[in-house]
Amino acid sequence: MANKLEEFIASNDRDIEKLATDLGGISPTTGRANPSRLISAATKFLWFAGCHEIKIYDKRAVNALHKLNRLPRTPKTYAAYATAWSAEYDIHKAEIRRVIAELPNQLEWSGIAQDSYDDAKAAFTEGWFADRVFDKCQWLHGN
């Protein structure tokens, strides 16, 4: 499995829809698996496997982008979703970075164990962290 995953991650054309279909083929669901759920699973799988440039496809994020007139209720492709996600992120990127820059000042109140402060501060500087902050905002607004 690791070799196939490494090949997929290394490929230039990360075909989210194909991975979603493949996941559907091994899914324990009965009947036809929901394509949106499979795309969601595929993007989450890839993100947790280290492909942090993948935009996590989530029903609530789709709803948030739909409310902003960025997407139809059901986007036709993952690429359409990722394009809309990126366009909206670009609008808010500076504000997200400004807020993240303030996070080290909030660690005392965060519930993060004091011996993990350095790890948290390191995470704040990673590009994926800003993406996840935006994902969380999308998730809240798409509820």
Side-chain angles (χ1 to χ4, degrees):
M1 171 85 171
N3 289 338
K4 288 188 183 249
L5 175 61
E6 288 169 7
E7 287 174 25
F8 186 84
I9 291 170
S11 73
N12 291 329
D13 59 341
R14 293 188 177 90
D15 189 347
I16 301 297
E17 283 88 2
K18 172 146 181 14
L19 178 59
T21 300
D22 291 349
L23 288 173
I26 62 171
S27 173
T29 61
T30 58
R32 278 185 65 190
N34 181 326
S36 291
R37 285 184 182 217
L38 294 174
I39 290 173
S40 179
T43 59
K44 289 170 183 164
F45 175 80
L46 289 170
W47 196 90
F48 282 109
C51 293
H52 294 150
E53 72 276 6
I54 297 292
K55 308 307 178 211
I56 295 176
Y57 185 96
D58 181 90
K59 179 181 177 181
R60 289 183 178 185
V62 169
N63 288 344
L65 292 170
H66 173 73
K67 288 178 183 178
L68 294 166
N69 295 316
R70 291 263 183 210
L71 276 178
R73 175 73 56 198
T74 306
K76 295 194 183 297
T77 64
Y78 168 78
Y81 167 78
T83 298
W85 188 102
S86 294
E88 191 63 25
Y89 177 82
D90 286 345
I91 292 169
H92 302 285
K93 181 172 31 181
E95 182 67 12
I96 290 169
R97 289 184 177 162
R98 187 192 65 73
V99 170
I100 289 172
E102 293 296 320
L103 288 177
N105 300 326
Q106 306 305 317
L107 284 171
E108 181 180 348
W109 312 105
S110 69
I112 295 172
Q114 193 168 12
D115 62 349
S116 296
Y117 283 5
D118 288 342
D119 292 336
K121 289 176 185 176
F124 299 159
T125 67
E126 297 289 337
W128 61 261
F129 188 85
D131 289 355
R132 293 299 300 140
V133 168
F134 183 67
D135 282 339
K136 184 64 174 179
C137 292
Q138 295 287 347
W139 194 77
L140 291 169
H141 290 293
N143 190 9

